[in-house]
Amino acid sequence: MDLEVRHLRFVAAIEAAGSVTKAAANLGVSQPALTAQVRRIESAVGGTLFDRGRHGARPTPLGDVLLPHVRDVLGALEELDRAVRHFRNRAGSRTLRLAVRQTSLAARLGDVVGEVCPDDVVDLAVVDRQATVLAALADGTVDLALHVDFPGREPVLPAGIERTVVGSEPMFVMLATDHPLAGRDEVELSELAGSTWLLAVNGDDEFDRHLASQCELAGIGPITVRAYEPLVISQLLRRGDPVAVPAQALDTGLPLIGTVLSVRGAPVRVRHVLLWSKDGPIDAAVAGRVRDGLVAAYRSMVGPMGRVPGWWDRNPGWLGSPESAPPPDAAPAPAPDPPPSADHRAPPPLPAAGSARAGHPPVPYAPGAYSATIRGGVVPHSGWRSSHA
């Protein structure tokens, strides 16, 4: 039996159309020509494949035996064609070099970029230091970076580097399970006065400075910050020491055991940003689609990974809050970065100035104030780099 691929396509077309006449029209050939081909095929297999009558063409018992194999062969040929085309596309594709900071969104960046740029190869690297990321973008080592900054500490971008905001995420606090405040749903930052703040070793000191600034503004005064490996932090929490651990809003999987509470007004917060070079392969439209994908990815993680269930439903305007939530009553930040597509809402602003010692939330961060705070009380890390857990 010597059949060609075109013969198999003829047989499949007749089965799909239910008639030789319709199959001929679908294939763009005349009915006599298709009928002649069917006779050659039937001669090759040694029997009739279709009973042709007033009701069209119906498979014979031999046709019922042959047709599943015809479908399998044609399906395998389509898979082969797709694989070859995919190989050719990737052989001529770009390699997009991505940089991420170790956050809850980092693991999603590669998938999102892969969906937005399906013909490109993604190369992912972890770069925690802000200065390193900006330098890599400026010299073309990195094409797109997912990084973070903090209120009042937004970096001045080098010429040619663009930015769009993905959204802001609250920072919660983890306490020992027998801590006097552990039974609460929410705490004031000022109530954590006297605590030693523990941070997982990872990243640069930008978050430390933001935390120290907000504690100073909350009336706590200079704070002590210690950087440890997560295992040591867990031991200190278990022991019931008067310590506080800044916790990302989504569970990152670090082996920390404690009670997680929200902080009223979320004065300690992280802003996720996308950075890219105007001279690179990423443009504002692509960055906008990546940002939208990351917003959707974060929202999908809130349910299974949110450390304070329901917080996002109660607090509109944050990364992860429902889209239908009303925008917060907030004045726009100075000199905002115009987003390349949809205008994602900013989270509520830091509360207006007030007396933190009298029970009011901390006042907004003032640029430059952190330097005195750091010199006044944050314990030097002696080479340790720290971030939040």
Side-chain angles (χ1 to χ4, degrees):
M1 184 171 59
D2 188 10
L3 294 177
E4 300 177 11
V5 173
R6 63 191 179 94
H7 296 145
L8 303 183
R9 297 193 193 282
F10 292 152
V11 173
I14 295 171
E15 180 200 20
S19 120
V20 175
T21 302
K22 292 179 181 178
N26 293 339
L27 292 169
V29 300
S30 67
Q31 180 180 342
L34 181 56
T35 299
Q37 290 294 337
V38 170
R39 286 174 181 158
R40 292 191 184 95
I41 297 169
E42 290 176 335
S43 175
V45 300
T48 303
L49 295 178
F50 295 98
D51 287 328
R52 296 182 284 277
R54 288 187 308 168
H55 301 293
R58 296 179 178 177
T60 64
L62 177 58
D64 286 333
V65 170
L66 184 69
L67 281 167
H69 298 285
V70 169
R71 290 191 289 268
D72 288 345
V73 171
L74 292 178
L77 287 172
E78 289 177 4
E79 288 291 333
L80 174 61
D81 181 61
R82 280 194 292 268
V84 170
R85 281 189 283 109
H86 182 67
F87 172 79
R88 287 174 178 166
N89 289 338
R90 290 183 69 86
S93 66
R94 304 170 299 183
T95 296
L96 295 179
R97 295 158 298 182
L98 312 181
V100 294
R101 183 160 178 153
Q102 296 185 72
T103 66
S104 52
L105 271 177
R108 297 300 185 96
L109 181 62
D111 292 339
V112 171
V113 173
E115 293 173 1
V116 173
C117 305
D119 294 330
D120 294 325
V121 178
V122 173
D123 180 29
L124 190 67
V126 176
V127 184
D128 279 329
R129 286 190 173 275
Q130 189 178 90
T132 304
V133 167
L134 295 178
L137 287 165
D139 67 18
T141 306
V142 167
D143 299 316
L144 180 69
L146 175 60
H147 222 256
V148 298
D149 58 27
F150 308 96
R153 299 197 56 79
E154 299 85 356
V156 177
L157 301 182
I161 304 302
E162 299 291 317
R163 170 176 54 203
T164 188
V165 176
V166 178
S168 291
E169 178 182 31
M171 291 298 297
F172 299 147
V173 62
M174 182 180 291
L175 306 174
T177 54
D178 58 353
H179 192 284
L181 300 174
R184 302 261 296 274
D185 294 328
E186 185 178 65
V187 295
E188 297 276 3
L189 187 58
S190 58
E191 293 180 280
L192 299 173
S195 299
T196 296
W197 289 86
L198 308 181
L199 294 97
V201 176
N202 178 25
D204 56 29
D205 296 337
E206 291 297 311
F207 176 77
D208 308 36
R209 297 172 188 273
H210 169 55
L211 173 63
S213 300
Q214 292 308 313
C215 288
E216 178 77 11
L217 294 170
I220 294 176
I223 63 172
T224 299
V225 177
R226 302 280 189 186
Y228 293 105
E229 294 292 341
L231 179 60
V232 177
I233 293 177
S234 288
Q235 291 174 342
L236 295 174
L237 285 169
R238 261 196 225 98
R239 201 167 66 185
D241 287 14
V243 297
V245 182
Q248 290 187 44
L250 300 185
D251 189 351
T252 59
L254 288 178
L256 301 178
I257 299 175
T259 299
V260 177
L261 308 175
S262 61
V263 181
R264 181 168 299 172
V268 182
R269 55 181 70 180
V270 176
R271 188 176 75 159
H272 298 265
V273 295
L274 280 173
L275 306 167
W276 71 95
S277 171
K278 288 195 295 186
D279 297 329
I282 302 297
D283 58 23
V286 170
R289 292 198 296 273
V290 172
R291 180 204 56 211
D292 293 344
L294 291 172
V295 170
Y298 190 98
R299 189 174 292 120
S300 72
M301 293 188 288
V302 162
M305 297 172 59
R307 278 175 158 158
V308 179
W311 189 93
W312 290 265
D313 293 328
R314 298 190 298 270
N315 293 275
W318 292 83
L319 181 60
S321 297
E323 285 185 301
S324 59
D329 242 345
D337 296 293
S341 58
D343 181 17
H344 290 280
R345 294 184 295 271
L350 293 172
S355 170
R357 296 183 189 278
H360 295 287
V363 298
Y365 171 79
Y370 73 87
S371 57
T373 304
I374 293 295
R375 288 197 298 269
V378 175
V379 176
H381 294 170
S382 303
W384 290 95
R385 296 196 300 271
S386 61
S387 183
H388 41 279

